[in-house]
Amino acid sequence: MTEKILNGIVLDEKTELTLSDLSCACASSAEWVIELVEEGALEPVEARPLSHQQTQWRFTVEALQRARTATRLRRDLGINLAGIALTLDLLDEINALEQRLRHIEVKTEK
């Protein structure tokens, strides 16, 4: 039996990631993350000014999950950026509907 050692970082909802952190965590380039932002698939929380002409984006843990999903969609299914943005939005909608359904089911059980 082979052993695998996994490394990870525990993040809470308040954690913010830089562009570099996000690209490293989803094993992609910073350029890929920038393309996702430009397509509307990811949205930075805020942009902190570094200098007169540069800003540093900050991302939530939710953005990390979206970036990882986007990376898998591109790698495993060959979906383009527009398709990835649409797929992520549809997955969010499905999750919201499932939560509403669970809430309704809990209310009707009482």
Side-chain angles (χ1 to χ4, degrees):
M1 176 161 117
T2 23
E3 275 188 41
K4 277 190 175 183
I5 298 174
L6 301 175
N7 293 322
I9 299 171
V10 177
L11 303 172
D12 64 20
E13 294 100 24
K14 296 177 185 177
T15 301
E16 290 184 354
L17 305 164
T18 64
L19 174 63
S20 176
D21 295 336
L22 184 66
S23 60
C24 182
C26 65
S28 294
S29 67
E31 290 78 20
W32 168 244
V33 175
I34 291 168
E35 289 176 8
L36 290 171
V37 171
E38 289 172 348
E39 190 62 42
L42 290 181
E43 191 172 324
V45 183
E46 66 177 280
R48 293 186 180 161
L50 288 177
S51 67
H52 180 66
Q53 295 179 346
Q54 284 187 314
T55 57
Q56 180 182 36
W57 283 340
R58 308 292 290 181
F59 295 92
T60 63
V61 174
E62 181 182 308
L64 171 59
Q65 293 169 334
R66 288 177 68 87
R68 285 183 169 173
T69 301
T71 301
R72 286 192 309 272
L73 289 169
R74 177 182 68 166
R75 181 191 65 223
D76 299 345
L77 301 176
I79 299 176
N80 65 17
L81 279 170
I84 288 170
L86 176 62
T87 302
L88 290 172
D89 289 344
L90 291 173
L91 289 171
D92 286 346
E93 185 66 24
I94 289 169
N95 287 332
L97 291 170
E98 286 174 342
Q99 286 179 355
R100 286 179 57 195
L101 181 59
R102 279 192 295 275
H103 180 73
I104 291 169
E105 288 172 346
V106 168
K107 286 176 90 175
T108 57
E109 289 175 358
K110 289 181 179 181

